[in-house]
Amino acid sequence: VQLQASGGGLVQAGGSLRLSCAASGSIFSINAMGWYRQTPGKERELVAEITSGGSTNYADSAKGRATISRDNANNTVYLQMSGLKPEDTAVYYCSADTLSLNSDSNWVAARYWGQGTQVTVSS
């Protein structure tokens, strides 16, 4: 399973951006998909997550400023962020909790991560 994230970049405070992440591979199903972020010296933290049924969960810091959505047909998750602040600067990682077929033809339930995309918010 591979997750390819895109959409990061440099944005001014108060601006908006949209992150995308597409999962590919021998995937049977994906339960939760999410976005996390990490800054140097800190643990990776949840920004938002969404189940296959569309239930969402947001970190307090993201509530009211972020919207997570997904396209189940294309195994893609999105994060729309607005009102960005300098403290939102981080590497953003997408995740997917999948049931997939491994190289030994066994079904495996696992969480996979994207490669990370840098978001920098300038003041």
Side-chain angles (χ1 to χ4, degrees):
V1 176
Q2 299 84 39
L3 273 65
Q4 182 67 46
S6 61
L10 176 64
V11 61
Q12 289 188 335
S16 302
L17 55 74
R18 187 192 197 206
L19 305 180
S20 301
C21 176
S24 61
S26 301
I27 298 170
F28 177 74
S29 64
I30 302 179
N31 187 10
M33 300 186 81
W35 287 95
Y36 291 72
R37 66 187 185 187
Q38 189 171 23
T39 55
K42 293 189 176 181
E43 292 188 356
R44 193 171 296 185
E45 63 178 11
L46 174 72
V47 178
E49 60 185 352
I50 183 169
T51 68
S52 57
S55 297
T56 58
N57 179 43
Y58 293 92
D60 287 342
S61 60
K63 289 178 180 177
R65 301 190 298 124
T67 301
I68 189 169
S69 60
R70 63 189 282 176
D71 177 352
N72 289 331
N74 292 297
N75 293 335
T76 301
V77 64
Y78 305 96
L79 182 69
Q80 178 72 45
M81 301 179 66
S82 60
L84 286 162
K85 306 173 183 179
E87 51 263 43
D88 292 318
T89 296
V91 177
Y92 284 70
Y93 296 90
C94 57
S95 69
D97 295 341
T98 71
L99 181 63
S100 61
L101 200 63
N102 68 9
S103 58
D104 295 324
S105 298
N106 295 316
W107 291 107
V108 175
R111 170 168 290 186
Y112 292 89
W113 296 92
Q115 83 281 13
T117 185
Q118 176 71 46
V119 172
T120 302
V121 184
S122 63
S123 58

